Amino acid sequence: MKQMRLAVRFPGADSTTVRDGPRSGGETDFSSLAHLARTAERGKFDFFFLAGEGPRPREHHGRAHHPDVAGRPEALTLLGALAAVTDRLGLAATVDATYNEPYELARRLATLDHLSGGRAAWQVLTCPDAPMWEDLRRGGHPDRAERYARAAEFVTTARELWDSWTPEGTPRPFAHTGRHFAISGEFTVPRSPQGHPVVLHSGDFDEGREFAASAADVVLTRHRSLEDGQAFYADVKARLAAYGRRPDDLTVMAGVTVVLGDTDAEAQENAAAIRRLQVSARNALPAPEQVRGRELSPYGPDGPPPGIDPGIAPGIDPGPEPDLVRGGARNADRPGAAATRRALSGAKGLSVRRTAVEATTRPSFVGSPSFVGSPETVATALEAFVTAEAADGFVLVPHLAPGGLDDFVDRVVPLLQERGSFRSAYTGTTLRSHLGHAEPVWKG
């Protein structure tokens, strides 16, 4: 049976995380990260992923909405600390290629790779959200094509630096001259235990898919259905040949959430309860405000949404304030999203908060990136995605940190191991060995 890859993402700036529960750990609480990482290693996961990077929090009415990833200490520093409390688990972090520089970042990544014994990984970020990066701009935020061009040359340059030492362990001078970088000198860190840190990239858009095919070892995506996953998988794998790469040179991993119960029905009840916790009084308003471009705070999260009571708001269509909430994902069809929410709330007589819950609840793993059910149901569904070539594996996003992975490791992983679809023990020491990737050919 084809072997599944598994990773876990420490929850970041998204609506998945339940932040206000009594069992929730903080972004700066190292024990939360250590518990999650140790649990992943106990489950023989491929890597721990510290996702998200941004020097600023999201803004709501011009003020910080939530500390999210901006309240988290620097990612590679945290992974260095986690390297000391784990032995085999890969350690991945998001670091941007738009506002960093190749020499400095390549040195930090190579250092982590040495400290961890060859377990470092880097998710290449191209900084799509301009407001999050205003305090680091150099004369304006580049467009998407320019960001991807810089990222491609960035990765090439970093690999040249990692290859600049001889196999015998002595440094050699390097020089790189390109469109975005012109650097030369000697790199201060020897070639790492796995040759190069593993490169990850999120590849849902066309530019991301092409970048992943040309430069990444792992591509991260989200699937709404098995069929969507199969289409993405076939597309990105087909692009590899143009770069002289084989299908196995790129691992496709889909981000998913998992909710378990003793039965499928109990799991569905648990999923509904989690979603109610996710949409708290604090975060119920920003999403519909961004969709509508209208301030809803005077009505409160538990009041009726615009369009239900004519006295609540003068209009029901999206208003003129698209940047009311800054730093979040943009909805390409704001009028359509507003109409969907309006119809949902009108049909059921829901408040703003209840509309948010209903609009984003995905109670079943069918047709969504959520796997909800008994351990047997979830294990079978995960295997089906891998067998059908909709993914090579999954990045689990727990609803709760630090304890949100424990049930999966205790109840689902043993089933996967018994069925032969997931490892029972690590067979190597580096992240590349976990993923089944060969060490990069030295090009010094």
Side-chain angles (χ1 to χ4, degrees), residues 155-167:
V155 173
T156 296
T157 307
R159 286 172 169 158
E160 290 172 357
L161 295 170
W162 294 328
D163 278 343
S164 64
W165 281 59
T166 68

Side-chain angles (χ1 to χ4, degrees), residues 263-289:
T263 64
D264 290 354
E266 183 182 80
Q268 296 288 348
E269 293 175 0
N270 292 341
I274 288 170
R275 190 60 190 141
R276 289 192 292 271
L277 291 173
Q278 289 170 328
V279 184
S280 65
R282 178 170 57 179
N283 63 21
L285 292 178
E289 285 187 331

Side-chain angles (χ1 to χ4, degrees), residues 371-429:
F371 291 76
V372 181
S374 68
E376 293 79 7
T377 296
V378 169
T380 299
L382 293 173
E383 289 175 336
F385 264 66
V386 174
T387 301
E389 294 191 334
D392 293 315
F394 306 93
V395 179
L396 274 68
V397 188
H399 299 292
L400 184 72
L405 188 65
D406 295 66
D407 279 353
F408 184 89
V409 167
D410 292 335
R411 305 181 69 186
V412 178
V413 167
L415 292 176
L416 298 174
Q417 292 170 333
E418 289 172 9
R419 298 176 182 186
S421 58
F422 187 65
R423 68 170 68 89
S424 296
Y426 291 113
T427 57
T429 60

Side-chain angles (χ1 to χ4, degrees), residues 19 31 54 58 74 112 118 139 153 159 187 192 197-198 213 256 265 283 347 350-351 402 439:
R19 298 183 177 278
S31 64
R58 290 173 288 176
E74 195 276 323
L112 175 63
E153 187 178 342
R159 286 172 169 158
F187 195 54
S192 70
V198 170
V256 299
N283 63 21
L350 303 176
S351 67
E439 181 178 319

